[in-house]
């Protein structure tokens, strides 16, 4: 992980296209501003983790379902 020190009004640029600027500091709270391309996805960490867990659960359920169908075998024509 990279650690940087920035003062209010200062910014860092990521990949020549994402700007992260310190807008204000009040006590232990820091306000950040972001400028990024319109096709960039930005999520709060807790939402990102919730989506990741849901995707993992869906993938696990899909593998279980695929295994059950494979064990059952193909349907015979009647």
């Amino acid at each position: 992980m990279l650690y940087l020190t920035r003062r209010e009004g200062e910014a860092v640029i990521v990949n020549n296209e994402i700007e992260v600027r310190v807008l204000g500091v009040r006590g232990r709270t820091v306000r950040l501003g972001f400028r990024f391309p319109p096709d960039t996805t930005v999520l709060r960490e807790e939402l990102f983790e919730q989506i990741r867990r849901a995707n993992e659960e869906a993938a696990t359920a899909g593998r279980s379902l695929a295994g059950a169908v494979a064990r059952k075998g193909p349907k015979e024509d009647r």
Side-chain angles (χ1 to χ4, degrees), residues 23-34:
L23 300 177
V25 179
R26 186 177 297 163
R28 294 179 54 185
T29 303
V30 178
R31 288 187 61 214
L32 299 174
F34 297 85

Side-chain angles (χ1 to χ4, degrees), residues 10-55:
E10 295 180 333
V12 296
I13 309 299
V14 180
N15 284 343
N16 295 323
E17 58 186 355
I18 298 172
E19 175 185 326
V20 182
R21 183 170 299 277
V22 179
L23 300 177
V25 179
R26 186 177 297 163
R28 294 179 54 185
T29 303
V30 178
R31 288 187 61 214
L32 299 174
F34 297 85
R35 183 174 293 134
F36 47 84
D39 62 334
T40 303
T41 300
V42 178
L43 297 171
R44 294 185 328 262
E45 181 182 31
E46 61 274 16
L47 184 55
F48 174 82
E49 289 299 325
Q50 180 182 352
I51 292 168
R52 185 189 57 77
R53 281 191 304 274
N55 286 342

